[in-house]
Structures are given as structure tokens and as C-alpha cells.
């Protein structure tokens, strides 16, 4: 079984994807962490995420990087991830690995899973929430990790990333016509999970 979970930053898609994978005892791939790895590789090499050939070089090295590296969660790495994700060649390099994981049966979360990576997924969800709520969640997450934040800056950076992800030419974040829309603005994770499970069991 392949489950695609797409949506903007801090919408709750990662948590939902993890819960679904645990429930069905299949793998979970947070595809955002692949783009974050590329971004971290570029930044650590002292290169520029806006430079396509630097991003491509880092994408080729992505398998040697650690997907659980705590530095991947830095906001500056997230912002740089949106930048390197604009380049079609970077997306192409990461595509094979994502499809390999999916082929074994998995839940993948990201921006283009239901539209590009796994258009034939058995179940597709598009998880979203208002910008205000998503920014609040990200701020709480950062504070939890002891990171000092400027709430206005986080909100503004999130709006910029939303725009980049939705307006880019290749694989933009869009609601697939066959995806279930899950708005978590007023929904906690348990309710979102139960709702998703009900939809899966109905199909
Ligand atoms: O954790 P958060 O939701 O903030 O972001 P993420 O899922 O870690 O993804 C970081 C960035 O990678 C996103 O802003 C996208 O630009 C990019 N990305 C993508 O283009 N396609 C994917 N399938 C996953 C992430």
C-alpha cells in the first residue's frame, strides 16, 4: 500500500504520515528531509542554495547524509530547502530514491507525492491549516527545542516558503484532484488520524 500525504509546512502532515505508517506497519519517508539534506550539504560546503550547480552537486551526495541529523531541523536549512527544491534537476535526482521506498509499500509525506512521485498512490491526503495556526505550531516546536524565535520572522518566512512551494514551475504544491482535503486548523492530531483512517477503510 502507498499513501501520499502532501501539504504546506507545519500543517500536521508529518505527524499524520508517521501515525499512518505505524498503524499499517509500513515505512515512512519524510521527503522534506531529502530536500533539507541537499540544503544542508550546500550550506556546509559554504556554497549558495540559489546556485543550481551547487545544489545539484549536493543532491548527488544526498545518500551519504544522515536523514536524522538534528541540524536538518534548523529554520535556515528549511528555507534553503525551499530554494534548492525549485531546481528540476535536483527534484529529478531525488525522484528514484523516493519511488524505490514507495515501491516496497510506504507512507510518503511532502509537497508533490500525490501529483508527481506517486500519482498512482492507493490513498492521497492534502493536509493544510491556516498560516496563523501553522506558524504558531512551528514557533511552539522551536521553543520546545530551546530555540529562541522571533514569531513575526517565523510567520513571514513561512509565508515566503508557502509562496515559493506553490508558485514554482516544477512540481508545485497543489491539491491533487483525487486527494482528500484535511484541514487541521481546528483538528487535533488524534481527530485527523481517525478521520484519515476512516477514509482509507471506506475505500
Ligand atoms: O518541515 P516543513 O513542513 O517545514 O518542510 P519540509 O517538509 O521539511 O520541506 C522542506 C522544503 O522542501 C519545502 O519547503 C519544499 O520546498 C521542499 N519539498 C519539496 O519541494 N517537495 C517535497 N516532496 C518535500 C519537500
Amino acid at each position: 500500500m502507498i499513501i501520499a500525504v502532501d501539504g504546506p509546512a507545519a500543517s500536521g502532515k508529518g505527524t499524520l504520515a508517521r501515525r499512518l505508517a505505524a498503524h499499517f506497519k509500513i515505512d515512512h519517508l519524510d521527503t522534506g528531509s531529502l530536500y533539507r539534506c541537499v540544503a544542508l550539504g550546500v550550506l556546509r560546503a559554504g556554497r549558495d542554495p540559489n546556485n543550481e550547480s551547487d545544489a545539484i552537486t549536493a543532491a548527488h551526495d544526498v545518500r551519504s547524509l544522515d536523514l536524522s541529523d538534528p541540524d536538518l531541523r534548523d529554520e535556515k536549512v528549511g528555507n534553503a530547502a525551499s530554494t534548492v527544491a525549485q531546481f528540476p534537476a535536483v527534484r529529478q535526482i531525488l525522484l528514484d530514491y523516493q519511488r524505490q521506498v514507495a515501491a516496497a509499500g510506504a507512507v510518503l509525506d511532502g509537497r508533490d507525492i500525490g501529483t508527481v512521485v506517486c500519482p498512482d498512490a492507493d490513498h492521497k491526503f492534502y493536509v493544510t491549516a491556516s498560516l496563523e495556526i501553522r506558524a504558531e505550531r512551528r514557533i511552539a516546536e522551536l521553543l520546545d527545542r530551546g530555540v529562541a524565535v522571533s514569531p513575526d520572522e517565523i510567520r513571514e518566512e513561512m509565508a515566503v516558503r508557502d509562496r515559493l512551494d506553490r508558485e514554482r514551475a516544477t512540481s508545485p504544491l497543489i491539491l491533487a484532484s483525487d486527494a482528500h482535503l484535511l484541514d487541521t486548523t481546528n483538528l487535533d492530531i488524534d481527530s485527523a488520524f481517525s478521520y484519515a483512517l476512516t477514509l482509507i477503510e471506506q475505500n
Side-chain angles (χ1 to χ4, degrees):
M1 173 163 64
I2 298 175
I3 304 177
V5 183
D6 289 304
S11 55
K13 64 183 187 309
T15 313
L16 176 66
R18 255 190 312 280
R19 292 275 300 261
L20 288 172
H23 179 84
F24 290 110
K25 298 185 174 50
I26 52 179
D27 283 338
H28 166 230
L29 180 65
D30 163 11
T31 64
S33 63
L34 299 175
Y35 291 90
R36 285 173 179 263
C37 270
V38 174
L40 188 58
V42 171
L43 295 173
R44 280 190 177 154
R47 316 300 294 208
D48 178 6
N50 288 291
N51 181 300
E52 184 169 7
S53 75
D54 289 345
I56 291 171
T57 304
H60 280 301
D61 282 347
V62 86
R63 298 290 285 276
S64 64
L65 292 167
D66 175 7
L67 284 186
S68 58
D69 187 325
D71 289 352
L72 292 178
R73 296 293 121 206
D74 282 359
E75 282 306 281
K76 68 172 186 320
V77 175
N79 295 334
S82 297
T83 304
V84 300
Q86 311 293 305
F87 300 123
V90 168
R91 307 197 69 85
Q92 189 59 39
I93 293 164
L94 301 181
L95 195 56
D96 280 351
Y97 175 65
Q98 295 175 75
R99 287 190 174 150
Q100 256 172 44
V101 173
V107 185
L108 284 82
D109 75 81
R111 302 291 189 286
D112 61 341
I113 308 304
T115 50
V116 176
V117 179
C118 305
D120 298 326
D122 301 286
H123 306 282
K124 298 183 186 181
F125 295 96
Y126 183 95
V127 186
T128 191
S130 70
L131 174 64
E132 205 50 41
I133 287 286
R134 290 188 290 117
E136 269 177 31
R137 287 178 188 160
R138 183 52 49 92
I139 290 161
E141 199 181 304
L142 291 166
L143 288 175
D144 234 32
R145 285 181 13 223
V147 180
V149 293
S150 147
D152 287 346
E153 230 170 81
I154 297 288
R155 204 172 296 110
E156 180 50 31
E157 284 174 1
M158 196 170 264
V160 169
R161 272 176 64 191
D162 277 0
R163 211 161 35 243
L164 272 178
D165 288 347
R166 290 187 170 121
E167 294 177 3
R168 67 175 171 232
T170 310
S171 305
L173 171 65
I174 47 165
L175 170 63
S177 57
D178 53 353
H180 296 292
L181 178 64
L182 232 124
D183 188 332
T184 67
T185 305
N186 298 306
L187 214 60
D188 64 20
I189 180 60
D190 284 335
S191 315
F193 173 67
S194 313
Y195 181 58
L197 211 51
T198 307
L199 290 169
I200 289 173
E201 281 162 357
Q202 276 169 2
N203 279 315

